């Protein structure tokens, strides 16, 4: 198995996504990996239940702590998600740093022709798939070194969870008393029955946009802006800026949300992303504008922290009695956003993709605004809706 140099120059998450969207044929290397879908499909199957489980776990833990401390559940849940995404996004810093240092041992940069710079940025329509600013293919030893580091980190994480994570059933027993777990089919049906709630139908645009904008950053920005103008050796460092800003803003938003409310944070994220998209449409990247690449990634991370923390907290608060079903739907639509972003990545111009993001973000905020209006008129509705869903689930369980 021979590795391509353009694969791991970002963190293992973002670089793999971007490379999969381009496909091996777009790589400047002759040798390629086997089909990436054979690797990504099992990873996706494993990530789906993990994401739903962690969101449910944090929501239950936050509400339990809020009851003991006499605080508002939504404020504590926001703080919990802020801390979680601080740790999670910091993995992008270390992952990008490790990959950049490992593969930076064999750097090689060529002069960028003016013709290539003219096709960078929003003007990139993938007319020419080979670039001249790539690095040399790393040695197999470096590839296996990086894979060994990532594998060891994953094994260590599993051992730490097994040893130190408190079982969720213990938290439920302490707060609500022991309850019989519903059968699998009841939980599965409740996931689809939740669409009867009009709020969920309006809110599905939030995770959909979250997946679209993350897909754009992982694939289009790193390829059509950073790699095209600076060279692939800068991708990891630019993504470090994104991850660091995202991590710091995540914990910050978790703290300040109890004072500002989530509407202000959503407005901040919307204005930031809209400004970035308009600027990316107008900007012609060049090698002499190094700082600008980091500014865009930092601003994108600042806005992405809003979607990651507030979206999860919002679902946990509005659908408190149906957390598992709500977060399952959330991850479904976020994954669909990734699929759509990478699906049209190879045949649409970057300019068109930015217009799509602008349109989806606008619709998302309109739908979110409607939900906030409904919630302001029915402040106790989340609990009532949750109780209704719980009663329906119990009825299904009895029949089964």
């Amino acid at each position: 198995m021979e590795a391509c140099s353009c694969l791991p120059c970002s963190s293992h998450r973002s670089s793999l996504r971007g490379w999969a969207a381009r496909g091996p044929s777009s790589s400047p290397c002759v040798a390629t990996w086997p089909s990436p879908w054979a690797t990504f499909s099992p990873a996706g199957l494993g990530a789906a239940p993990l994401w739903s489980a962690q969101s449910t776990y944090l929501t239950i833990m936050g509400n339990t702590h809020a009851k003991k401390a006499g605080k508002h559940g939504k404020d504590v849940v926001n703080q919990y998600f802020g801390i979680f995404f601080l740790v999670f996004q910091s993995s992008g810093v270390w992952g990008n740093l490790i990959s950049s240092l490992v593969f930076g041992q064999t750097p090689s940069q060529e002069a960028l022709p003016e013709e290539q710079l003219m096709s960078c940025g929003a003007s990139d329509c993938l007319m020419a798939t080979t670039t001249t600013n790539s690095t040399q293919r790393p040695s197999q030893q470096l590839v296996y070194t990086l894979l060994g580091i990532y594998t060891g980190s994953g094994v260590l994480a599993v051992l730490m969870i097994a040893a130190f994570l408190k079982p969720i059933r213990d938290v439920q027993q302490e707060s609500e008393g022991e309850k019989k777990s519903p059968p699998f089919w009841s939980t599965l049906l409740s996931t689809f029955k939740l669409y009867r709630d009009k709020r969920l139908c309006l809110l599905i645009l939030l995770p959909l946009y979250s997946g679209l904008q993350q897909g754009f950053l992982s694939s289009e920005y790193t390829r059509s802006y950073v790699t095209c103008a600076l060279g692939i050796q800068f991708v990891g460092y630019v993504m470090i800026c994104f991850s660091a800003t995202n991590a710091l803003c995540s914990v910050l938003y978790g703290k300040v949300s109890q004072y500002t409310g989530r509407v202000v944070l959503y407005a901040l994220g919307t204005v930031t992303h809209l400004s970035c998209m308009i600027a990316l449409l107008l900007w012609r990247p060049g090698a002499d504008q190094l700082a600008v690449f980091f500014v865009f990634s930092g601003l994108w991370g600042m806005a992405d922290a809003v979607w990651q923390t507030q979206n999860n907290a919002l679902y946990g608060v509005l659908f408190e009695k149906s957390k598992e079903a709500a977060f399952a739907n959330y991850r479904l639509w976020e994954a669909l956003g990734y699929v759509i972003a990478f699906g049209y990545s190879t045949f649409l111009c970057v300019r068109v993709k930015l217009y799509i993001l602008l349109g989806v973000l606008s619709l998302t905020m309109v739908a979110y605004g409607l939900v906030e209006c409904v919630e302001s008129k029915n402040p106790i509705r989340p609990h009532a809706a949750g109780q209704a869903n719980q009663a329906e689930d119990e009825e299904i369980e009895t029949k089964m």
Side-chain angles (χ1 to χ4, degrees), residues 244-394:
T245 307
N246 201 325
L248 294 176
C249 288
S250 292
V251 68
L252 175 64
Y253 296 157
K255 292 287 187 180
V256 303
S257 61
Q258 57 184 317
Y259 306 107
T260 63
R262 58 177 178 250
V263 176
V264 174
L265 293 178
Y266 273 115
L268 173 64
T270 301
V271 172
T272 303
H273 262 177
L274 286 175
S275 302
C276 286
M277 293 173 197
I278 295 174
L280 287 174
L281 282 169
L282 302 176
W283 179 45
R284 179 175 295 177
D288 57 340
Q289 303 169 329
L290 180 62
V292 181
F293 293 90
F294 290 91
V295 170
F296 273 116
S297 64
L299 290 175
W300 204 276
M302 186 176 75
D304 182 69
V306 174
W307 315 125
Q308 300 307 319
T309 58
Q310 300 307 304
N311 286 0
N312 284 278
L314 178 64
Y315 270 64
V317 170
L318 295 187
F319 309 103
E320 182 181 351
K321 300 298 182 180
S322 304
K323 293 180 289 293
E324 294 85 353
F327 286 123
N329 279 296
Y330 180 90
R331 298 305 166 187
L332 168 66
W333 288 99
E334 186 177 46
L336 182 60
Y338 278 118
V339 171
I340 294 174
F342 292 140
Y344 62 52
S345 177
T346 56
F347 59 87
L348 288 181
C349 296
V350 174
R351 186 179 306 276
V352 176
K353 298 168 188 173
L354 285 170
Y355 286 140
I356 292 175
L357 283 179
L358 284 168
V360 175
L361 178 57
S362 301
L363 291 176
T364 299
M365 288 299 100
V366 171
Y368 166 72
L370 293 176
V371 173
E372 287 291 355
C373 290
V374 171
E375 289 304 304
S376 63
K377 298 177 182 177
N378 302 278
I380 62 173
R381 183 175 174 180
H383 298 278
Q387 293 172 357
N389 288 331
Q390 185 177 14
E392 292 175 356
D393 293 343
E394 292 176 354

Side-chain angles (χ1 to χ4, degrees), residues 5 8 36-37 102 118 123 254 267 297 305 354 385 392:
S5 65
W37 309 112
V102 171
M118 293 293 293
S123 302
S297 64
L354 285 170
E392 292 175 356

